[in-house]
Amino acid sequence: RLTGQQQEINNLIQRKIAVDEENARLKNEFSNLSQKFKDKSQELKDTEECAQKKEEQNRLVIKNLEEENKGLNTCCADLLNDLEKLRKQEAQWKTEKSGNDVRIKNLETDFTEAREQMKDICSNLSSQVAVKQEELSQKDSDAIKAKKELQQLQNLYRQNIEHTAQQAELIKQRQALNTD
């Protein structure tokens, strides 16, 4: 019986050694796994912190982009308003230009007609001036004739006065002779 017990003790010791070895191996594996778990936990923590930082950065970037987008939308609205104003102004200028073109065309037509009328008036005036010059020339000629006639009449008148004076003198002499 002792040998059976000894055998059983030996078996138990061997099993205990095997269990102790298994325990040591499992403890070692557990220790390795714990270290890996710690490492992975730290890595996860670092990754989460990094992800939080990235998320915060992204939130800031999104916020900045939204503000910039607001500014750009405002700028776009202002530019669209300016464009609309410029289009209205362009339409108004086109209308004014069209009106001015019509006025210019009318003025050019009026000017052309006025030029033709002035040509006709100048032509008529030239004709009238030529007629008046002819009349003036005729009157100058008539005046020269009238001067000559007046000169002749004045000469005749002087001669007549002289003749009358001579006659008066002769009459005086006759009366004096008659009286004698």
Side-chain angles (χ1 to χ4, degrees):
R1 212 177 162 195
L2 204 73
T3 346
Q5 284 182 342
Q6 188 65 37
Q7 183 65 36
E8 200 175 314
I9 289 172
N10 281 343
N11 283 343
L12 285 173
I13 290 171
Q14 280 181 351
R15 273 180 61 204
K16 182 182 182 294
I17 290 171
V19 165
D20 285 346
E21 284 177 356
E22 183 65 21
N23 270 345
R25 188 185 66 74
L26 287 173
K27 276 184 182 177
N28 192 23
E29 194 175 321
F30 178 74
S31 175
N32 286 340
L33 286 173
S34 286
Q35 188 60 44
K36 279 184 181 176
F37 178 74
K38 280 182 185 176
D39 292 346
K40 289 293 179 185
S41 292
Q42 186 62 42
E43 191 177 320
L44 179 65
K45 189 178 173 186
D46 292 347
T47 303
E48 284 175 348
E49 284 178 5
C50 185
Q52 279 181 343
K53 284 180 184 175
K54 284 280 185 191
E55 195 176 322
E56 187 60 33
Q57 284 177 348
N58 286 343
R59 261 190 248 123
L60 281 172
V61 166
I62 288 169
K63 187 179 176 185
N64 289 338
L65 287 173
E66 283 173 349
E67 287 176 8
E68 191 177 337
N69 193 29
K70 259 188 202 174
L72 288 173
N73 284 338
T74 303
C75 187
C76 279
D78 291 345
L79 287 173
L80 286 172
N81 286 336
D82 290 348
L83 180 64
E84 188 59 31
K85 284 178 189 173
L86 287 172
R87 282 187 177 151
K88 285 179 183 174
Q89 199 173 33
E90 179 189 22
Q92 183 182 350
W93 285 345
K94 280 183 180 176
T95 304
E96 287 176 7
K97 183 185 179 300
S98 176
N100 287 339
D101 288 346
V102 168
R103 266 186 279 163
I104 287 170
K105 192 172 182 180
N106 290 339
L107 286 171
E108 285 174 347
T109 304
D110 291 349
F111 180 72
T112 304
E113 288 174 3
R115 184 187 293 156
E116 290 303 317
Q117 287 176 356
M118 289 306 291
K119 280 183 184 176
D120 291 344
I121 290 169
C122 284
S123 177
N124 288 339
L125 286 175
S126 293
S127 298
Q128 288 177 14
V129 166
V131 167
K132 293 292 179 188
Q133 282 179 335
E134 186 66 34
E135 288 176 6
L136 187 61
S137 178
Q138 186 62 43
K139 287 189 180 187
D140 280 348
S141 177
D142 290 347
I144 290 170
K145 280 183 186 176
K147 278 184 184 177
K148 283 182 182 175
E149 288 177 6
L150 180 63
Q151 189 69 42
Q152 288 174 354
L153 285 173
Q154 283 176 342
N155 287 340
L156 284 174
Y157 179 72
R158 259 195 313 268
Q159 288 174 1
N160 197 7
I161 287 177
E162 287 174 10
H163 187 68
T164 304
Q166 286 175 357
Q167 281 183 349
E169 187 60 38
L170 284 173
I171 289 171
K172 269 187 187 176
Q173 286 176 2
R174 250 193 206 175
Q175 284 177 350
L177 285 173
N178 279 339
T179 308
D180 285 343

